[in-house]
């Protein structure tokens, strides 16, 4: 099976590449944008820029893949909130081009979406068929992308993931040094501080408080399973257990054997909302259900401690 992968320098995409090559021997072609991988890739590459829909079309036309896993997304999510023309181009126009060209060449399209299509009301934990209720423009653009993919490409899967953490195998040694407003990279950040015996003061307001965080290699397994499947529709490729930020920090300390006493919730006075000024609104609660996805794919996702233990093993052993 020949797979075109976008976003291979990113957290999710680098894990798709690693899992596909180490465990399944899949033929991959990786789309390159701006960064060059620091660890060598053993695959062909093709240029692709989401700002240029013609380059999206020509990458697929030249590769003629059986499947496309679309992990690429803008890295500057804050800019999406203020520059809607740019956001629409990279997340909607590019997705339309990808869905149309996949239909034309007969490729299956696996579109990576986000738990942030939810969070503005509704009833968490959200099921695969819950109506989207995004809290920000990023989530809105993802919801539009999902709709385009399902209506334009007959052979498709939408894979929503959430709060991804783990090694970025294209950039080994990268450390996450700041707490973000979402759950993405949070355990990376906790490990960075706790292994230096530095306190972790967890934000408990203004940010994403509840989620179903996901180990990147487990997400990659789900995306590869979806690429090889003939099932259409929306799937939740994320951890199977919900958690708060504070609980996740405490679990990280326990699983990695760090001092749990270093973890505490931020006091109200420590939550300086001005630090978040200009940033996008985070949904407070973006928990996803996975029961229907697990049943359809006959695959059990990792819970919190299983994911963290596997993350620790990957850091120690350097492979998935
Ligand atoms: N991380 C999370 O917690 C999380 C949660 C929910 C959903 N997701 C979704 O999962 C997917 C992968 O996320 P990630 O965390 O792996 O992202 P990431 O680490 O930020 O990587 C983003 C990837 O997209 C590429 N990219 C950015 N702008 C591009 C452009 N204009 N043209 C082509 N490629 C471009 C980047 O290339 P360069 O390296 O060259 O810039 C990089 O490979 C995204 O769709 C994201 O929305 C992630």
């Amino acid at each position: 099976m020949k797979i075109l992968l976008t976003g291979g320098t990113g957290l999710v995409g680098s894990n798709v590449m690693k899992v596909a090559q180490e465990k399944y021997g899949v033929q991959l072609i990786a789309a390159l944008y701006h960064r060059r991988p620091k660890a060598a890739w053993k695959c062909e590459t093709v240029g692709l820029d989401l700002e240029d829909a013609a380059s999206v079309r020509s990458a697929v036309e030249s590769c003629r893949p059986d499947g496309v896993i679309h992990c690429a997304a803008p890295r500057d999510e804050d800019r999406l909130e203020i520059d809607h023309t740019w956001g629409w181009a990279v997340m909607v126009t590019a997705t339309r081009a990808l869905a149309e060209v996949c239909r034309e060449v007969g490729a299956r399209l696996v579109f990576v979406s986000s738990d942030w299509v939810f969070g503005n009301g509704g009833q968490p934990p959200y099921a695969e068929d819950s109506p989207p209720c995004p809290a920000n423009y990023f989530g809105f653009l993802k919801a539009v992308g999902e709709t385009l993919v399902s209506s334009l490409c007959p052979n498709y899967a939408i894979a929503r993931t959430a709060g991804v953490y783990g090694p970025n195998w294209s950039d080994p040694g990268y450390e996450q040094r700041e707490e973000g407003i979402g759950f993405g990279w949070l355990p990376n950040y906790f490990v960075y501080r706790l292994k230096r015996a530095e306190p972790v003061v967890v934000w408990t307001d203004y940010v994403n408080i509840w989620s179903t965080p996901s180990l990147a290699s487990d997400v990659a397994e789900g995306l590869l399973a979806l690429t090889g499947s003939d099932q259409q529709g929306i799937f939740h490729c994320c951890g199977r257990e919900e958690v708060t930020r504070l609980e996740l920090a405490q679990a990280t300390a326990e699983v990695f054997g760090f001092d749990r006493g270093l973890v505490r919730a931020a006091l109200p006075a420590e939550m300086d909302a001005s630090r978040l000024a200009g940033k996008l609104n985070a949904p407070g609660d973006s928990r996803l259900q996975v029961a229907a996805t697990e049943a359809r794919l006959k695959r059990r996702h990792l819970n919190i401690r299983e994911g963290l233990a596997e993350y620790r093993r990957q850091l120690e052993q350097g492979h998935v």
Side-chain angles (χ1 to χ4, degrees), residues 6-14 31-36 48-52 70-75 77 86 90-91 111-116 138 142 159-165 168 182-185:
T6 72
T9 50
L11 177 55
V12 176
S14 73
L32 272 178
Y33 168 54
H34 184 62
R35 285 187 291 182
R36 293 294 170 266
L48 184 153
D49 180 355
L50 298 175
E51 289 186 49
D52 174 10
H70 183 36
C71 292
R75 297 173 66 210
E77 291 172 358
W86 174 74
V90 292
M91 289 184 62
F111 175 73
V112 182
S113 187
S114 171
D115 55 333
W116 283 19
F138 169 82
K142 282 287 192 190
R160 295 187 186 130
T161 189
V164 186
Y165 65 92
N168 179 334
F183 264 70
W185 297 96

Side-chain angles (χ1 to χ4, degrees), residues 130-143:
S130 296
C133 50
N136 52 45
Y137 198 62
F138 169 82
F140 167 71
L141 293 176
K142 282 287 192 190

Side-chain angles (χ1 to χ4, degrees), residues 16 19 24 69 108 110 157 159 215-229 235-238 293 297 299 301:
V16 171
V19 171
Y24 298 108
I69 303 179
R108 177 165 171 82
V110 176
L215 179 68
S217 60
D218 199 38
V219 177
E221 293 271 5
L223 296 176
L224 288 162
L226 277 174
T227 312
S229 161
F235 300 82
H236 285 175
C237 294
C238 63
T293 296
L297 293 183
R299 196 184 158 265
H301 301 194

